[in-house]
Amino acid sequence: MSVEQQPDLTGSLRVERSGAVATLYIDNPRRRNAVSKDMWGQFATLLYTLAEDDSVRVLVVRGAGENFSAGADISDLRAILHDAESGRHDGGHVSAGENALAAFPKPTIAAIDGYCVGGGWQIAGACDIRIASERAHFGITPSKIGIVYPTSGIERLVRLVGPGVAKQLLFSADFIDADEAKNVGLVGSVLPVQGFWEWIEKYAQHLAGRSALSIQAMKAIVDAIAVGGIDLEEINAYWQQQMDVSDDPTTGITAFLEKRAPEFTWNRTVALD
């Protein structure tokens, strides 16, 4: 495993690699991984680098230590939520960070241990898959501090749990445990604490062995269906064309018939005439 970026004493994002899996750490454990303005600003650059790296096939997002994230750093909150250039209170750095994560073309897994609160939930909500340990706790807390969340995070929440549960969570700012989070749809799986990180690593490597073409195409199509109002036929046609010029279908079918594991080679889309 190689370390690509060392943690900063004041909090930072850092990336570690294990084969085709990259892990992005929210690293500010002295403050339960609260995310400062500078940390929010690091998302887009780091994610762009990982998106351009063809050797990265899966991204895991987690907190350093025992918590996922306590959310946006409250002491820095006005600067975090305010867009200095436009003058708008439209989520600023929070929206930029979570939207960069949501737009990341490769599969993303939020591995949630301990507390996942406020802006921490917005990070987890922007991932494709959310897996929690049994000691995870969730809180979506704008009403606790008198702020209005940016619409991007609320839209994702509503798509996941529906408007009724979204209102319940947003209005009350109450914490819920991992089992309740699974019941309402915030997370897909809850696992024992013992062996949690080993399971996450194994699952991420499992996804990395699947066809990146298939996964990235399905991600784009599912996201288009979830959002609505997007030209789904055009997106599907694009990916069908990418499949036509890829070796992955032949590789997968041949391996299936020969009863062996496929070795997929597709990395990124190609320009089409």
Side-chain angles (χ1 to χ4, degrees):
M1 179 179 289
S2 62
V3 179
E4 297 182 353
Q5 183 174 338
Q6 296 298 322
D8 186 274
L9 293 178
T10 59
S12 68
L13 303 183
R14 62 183 172 91
V15 176
E16 292 185 0
R17 288 286 304 278
S18 177
V21 175
T23 300
L24 190 158
Y25 285 83
I26 307 164
D27 193 350
N28 192 7
R30 293 181 302 173
R31 304 194 67 177
R32 289 186 174 177
N33 297 321
V35 186
S36 67
K37 174 183 174 181
D38 289 343
M39 291 170 71
W40 283 110
Q42 293 171 29
F43 273 99
T45 300
L46 280 176
L47 292 169
Y48 176 81
T49 300
L50 293 170
E52 291 295 300
D53 187 342
D54 291 339
S55 68
V56 173
R57 288 179 170 262
V58 176
L59 176 66
V60 175
V61 181
R62 59 165 290 183
E66 297 183 349
N67 294 288
F68 185 81
S69 174
D73 188 336
I74 300 299
S75 65
D76 212 11
L77 193 58
R78 289 186 181 276
I80 290 171
L81 293 175
H82 182 254
D83 187 328
E85 292 185 5
S86 68
R88 296 193 305 268
H89 292 270
D90 57 359
H93 299 274
V94 173
S95 292
E98 66 170 325
N99 288 335
L101 183 55
F104 188 71
K106 303 171 187 182
T108 54
I109 303 168
I112 305 163
D113 189 29
Y115 284 95
C116 178
V117 182
W121 159 253
Q122 290 176 258
I123 294 170
C127 291
D128 299 313
I129 297 168
R130 284 158 295 281
I131 302 171
S133 80
E134 60 190 0
R135 68 179 175 189
H137 285 80
F138 299 81
I140 306 176
T141 54
S143 67
K144 198 170 187 178
I145 54 176
I147 64 171
V148 179
Y149 273 1
T151 56
S152 56
I154 297 175
E155 286 172 346
R156 292 189 188 99
L157 178 64
V158 172
R159 288 198 295 268
L160 285 171
V161 303
V165 174
K167 289 175 182 177
Q168 181 180 341
L169 295 170
L170 289 164
F171 293 178
S172 70
D174 290 340
F175 280 60
I176 61 174
D177 63 21
D179 286 336
E180 187 172 356
K182 183 177 185 299
N183 288 339
V184 300
L186 287 182
V187 300
S189 302
V190 176
L191 303 174
V193 175
Q194 185 70 29
F196 178 71
W197 296 114
E198 291 81 2
W199 193 97
I200 292 292
E201 171 68 15
K202 184 177 180 181
Y203 183 67
Q205 296 291 352
H206 174 66
L207 292 188
R210 298 303 194 193
S211 166
L213 168 69
S214 295
I215 288 178
Q216 291 189 33
M218 295 302 103
K219 175 171 179 169
I221 291 169
V222 170
D223 285 348
I225 293 170
V227 172
I230 293 178
D231 193 338
L232 182 59
E233 290 187 7
E234 182 177 334
I235 292 172
N236 180 63
Y238 172 82
W239 284 103
Q240 294 294 335
Q241 290 176 313
Q242 291 293 324
M243 182 179 67
D244 287 343
V245 298
S246 168
D247 292 332
D248 273 18
T250 299
T251 298
I253 292 168
T254 301
F256 178 82
L257 293 174
E258 294 178 355
K259 296 181 172 57
R260 59 176 175 82
E263 296 182 4
F264 295 111
T265 58
W266 185 91
N267 283 318
R268 61 173 63 212
T269 59
V270 298
L272 300 168
D273 294 334

